[in-house]
Amino acid sequence: QVQLVESGGGLVQPGGSLRLSCAASGSMFSIHTMGWYHQAPGKQRELVAQITLGYESITNYANSVKGRFTISRDTAKNTVYLQMNSLKPEDTGVYFCNTVAQLREVDDEDDYWGQGTQVTVSS
């Protein structure tokens, strides 16, 4: 099975910064992408940022975080980071780590999720 361990959430004032980390472990044939989703109170989970773990690093960001958030990876450690700067109250919510991976070469890709980490932006 795939396990995703997240860290780095917390309380920060508007304009502040936080860095989230997510490490994937378990028996996997390959990891295709890792990313972060945001779920605000009472709303659906939405993609924040995503990065591929292949030879070429391709990133994808939600429009609302472009220029403020940066996703990066350590492929050797199967770890992804989300640097969040210029945080706003609307960034408040639970951030879930996601990976799209294959457990075995014969398997289809599947989604795996972490438990989530709370980010609160408030003065």
Side-chain angles (χ1 to χ4, degrees), residues 42-55:
K43 296 190 177 181
Q44 291 187 333
R45 196 175 299 186
E46 297 180 337
L47 176 68
V48 174
Q50 190 176 58
I51 189 167
T52 60
L53 267 71
Y55 178 77

Side-chain angles (χ1 to χ4, degrees), residues 33 49 92 102-103 119:
T33 65
T92 294
Q102 283 176 273
L103 296 186
V119 171

Side-chain angles (χ1 to χ4, degrees), residues 52-86:
T52 60
L53 267 71
Y55 178 77
E56 188 176 6
S57 177
I58 300 172
T59 58
N60 179 36
Y61 293 93
N63 288 333
S64 60
V65 305
K66 285 180 180 177
R68 300 190 297 125
F69 291 10
T70 302
I71 191 167
S72 60
R73 68 182 193 179
D74 184 334
T75 305
K77 296 181 180 180
N78 285 341
T79 298
V80 64
Y81 307 95
L82 185 68
Q83 178 65 43
M84 304 188 294
N85 298 329
S86 303

